[in-house]
Amino acid sequence: MRTGVPTRPGTPRRIDVHQHLVPPFYRDLLIRSGLAEAGGRAVPEWSPEAALEVMDLLETATAILSVSTPGTAFLTEPAQATGLARRLNDFSAALPAQHPGRFGWFATLPMPDAAASAAEAARALDGLGADGVTLLANNRGEYLGAAGQDELWRTLNDRAAVVFVHPAELPAPPVENIPPFAADFLLDTTRAAYLLVRNKIVRTYPDIRFVLSHAGGFVPYASHRMAVTIAGETGRSPLDVLDDFRGFHFDTALSSSPAALPTLLAFARPGHVLFGSDWPFAPAVAGQYFLSGLEAAGVPAVDRANAEALFPRLRTTVPAAAPRPGLRHSARRTAARLLFRLVQPGTD
C-alpha cells in the first residue's frame, strides 16, 4: 500500500478531478459486449498501481476517479444496468481506504433510468462516501436536461452534490476519420450544458455543482452565441443565460493549450477551473503536454485550491512535507515542457 504523496516543497500538490478507473471486471464485460473501444480509443487496462505511477509523474496528490463512457448505458435491461452501477460503486468505494489520501470517486448511475439513478445516487452519497456522481452527457440519445429527470435532480440538489458531466458518443453515426473523442465529445458536453441552462435545471436546482469535462467542450467559445439563441427562444435576458453558463465548473483535461486555456479563464467564474488529466484514456504523454501548458499559464489555484473549495475534505489529505520525485520523473517532465515549447505556433 502506498500512502505517501510524492510532491516536493514549493510544487503544486494537484487534485485531478478527471481521471478514470476501469476495473478489470468492467473492461472484460465491455469487450464481451463488443465494446473494445470507447470514444474511438481502445478501452485501456487499469490498476491502482498504474494510476499512482502517473499521478507521481504529474505531481498529483489525489485523483477523483470516475467510470467513463459508456457507463452502464450499453445495458438495456434496467436491472442489469442498476446491478452494474452498484458493483462499480462498491469497487470504487474501497479504493480510498486501500490508498489513503490518493483517491476519491464519483459514483456511476444507471441512466437513463432517472428513478434508479436517484436511488443509487442516494446510496453512494449517503452510505458509501462518494465525492459526487458521474453523468454522461447523453445516455442512449437522452440528454441531461431533458424532461423526466426531476427525481434525480431533486436527490442531487438535496445533497448539494457535485455532478461530473462526461461526454459519450453522439447519438448519430460517426464520421469517417474523425474519432469521437477528438471532436464529437466536445459537442456532446456542449449539448448537455445547453439543455441544462435552457431548461432551467441549473436555476431550479441551484445547490448542484456541475463540472463540465474538457473545458466545457465548446461552451466558453460559443457562450454568447448560445445565450442569444436561448434568450430569443425563451424571452430571458442574455445576461442571465450567460450567468448560468458561467456557473458551471470546468476541468482542464486535454484543454490547457495556449489557444483554449485563455478563453476558458476569461469566461469561467473565478475558482471554477479545475485540473484534469483524463488518464488512462489520454496517455501519460498527453497529460504531461497539457500540464506544461497549465504550468506556463501560471494559475496555481487550478492545481489544488479550486478543487479544495469544491471538495472540502481534501484540504487535510496531504502531508506538510514529502520527498522529491525521482530523477526519471523529473527528466520526463523536463522533456514534456521542452516539447510543449517547441510545438507552439509562431506569431507571424
Side-chain angles (χ1 to χ4, degrees):
M1 182 185 300
R2 302 172 55 171
T3 59
V5 179
T7 58
R8 59 184 182 275
T11 59
R13 293 167 295 187
R14 296 184 174 90
I15 296 171
D16 185 349
V17 304
H18 188 152
Q19 188 178 132
H20 298 299
L21 77 162
V22 190
F25 71 84
Y26 180 65
R27 184 174 186 270
D28 291 345
L29 177 59
L30 290 178
I31 292 173
R32 290 199 308 270
S33 301
L35 299 171
E37 292 186 349
R41 298 190 68 92
V43 178
E45 295 184 355
W46 174 91
S47 70
E49 292 72 25
L52 292 169
E53 175 73 15
V54 173
M55 289 164 65
D56 291 356
L57 176 65
L58 301 183
E59 297 171 352
T60 297
T62 304
I64 311 296
L65 303 176
S66 57
V67 173
S68 186
T69 184
T72 66
F74 68 100
L75 297 175
T76 57
E77 171 56 46
Q80 291 181 354
T82 298
L84 178 58
R86 292 176 65 91
R87 188 178 180 188
L88 287 166
N89 293 334
D90 290 341
F91 180 94
S92 301
L95 291 171
Q98 295 167 3
H99 305 276
R102 302 310 302 272
F103 294 123
W105 60 288
F106 292 122
T108 300
L109 303 183
M111 289 290 278
D113 187 332
S117 294
E120 183 59 18
R123 186 182 84 95
L125 294 167
D126 298 345
L128 298 182
D131 290 294
V133 304
T134 303
L135 289 176
L136 298 182
N138 90 85
N139 295 270
R140 300 203 299 272
E142 181 176 312
Y143 274 89
L144 301 183
Q149 299 170 354
D150 290 287
E151 182 176 356
L152 174 60
W153 301 133
R154 284 193 297 269
T155 297
L156 296 173
N157 192 71
D158 289 346
R159 291 158 176 79
V162 176
V163 173
F164 177 62
V165 178
H166 192 278
E169 296 193 23
L170 295 176
V175 177
E176 186 178 1
N177 295 325
I178 302 180
F181 78 88
D184 294 354
F185 271 16
L186 305 178
L187 175 58
D188 201 48
T189 300
T190 304
R191 285 176 166 182
Y194 188 100
L195 289 176
L196 290 170
V197 169
R198 186 198 183 282
N199 295 341
K200 294 188 176 181
I201 304 303
V202 296
R203 293 210 165 210
T204 306
Y205 304 98
D207 292 332
I208 300 175
R209 282 81 53 81
F210 290 96
V211 179
L212 301 183
S213 300
H214 310 118
F218 304 131
V219 167
Y221 191 80
S223 54
H224 287 252
R225 178 175 180 157
M226 294 190 297
V228 169
T229 302
I230 291 173
E233 292 177 344
T234 64
R236 297 174 58 192
S237 162
L239 292 178
D240 287 346
V241 177
L242 276 172
D243 192 54
D244 286 349
F245 278 120
R246 293 185 69 234
F248 290 115
H249 293 75
F250 305 85
D251 75 49
T252 64
L254 304 178
S255 303
S256 48
S257 70
L261 187 59
T263 301
L264 174 61
L265 294 173
F267 175 74
R269 286 181 184 170
H272 279 220
V273 180
L274 313 164
F275 172 66
S277 70
D278 210 352
W279 189 85
F281 286 90
V285 65
Q288 292 177 278
Y289 176 85
F290 286 101
L291 177 56
S292 296
L294 184 61
E295 291 175 335
V299 281
V302 174
D303 290 311
R304 184 172 189 89
N306 294 347
E308 285 180 331
L310 205 56
F311 306 100
R313 74 169 186 85
L314 297 180
R315 291 172 180 159
T316 59
T317 60
V318 182
R324 292 179 177 270
L327 291 176
R328 182 168 60 90
H329 283 169
S330 296
R332 290 175 67 183
R333 290 292 299 117
T334 299
R337 294 185 184 104
L338 176 60
L339 174 64
F340 182 83
R341 289 196 296 269
L342 290 174
V343 301
Q344 299 315 306
T347 56
D348 56 335

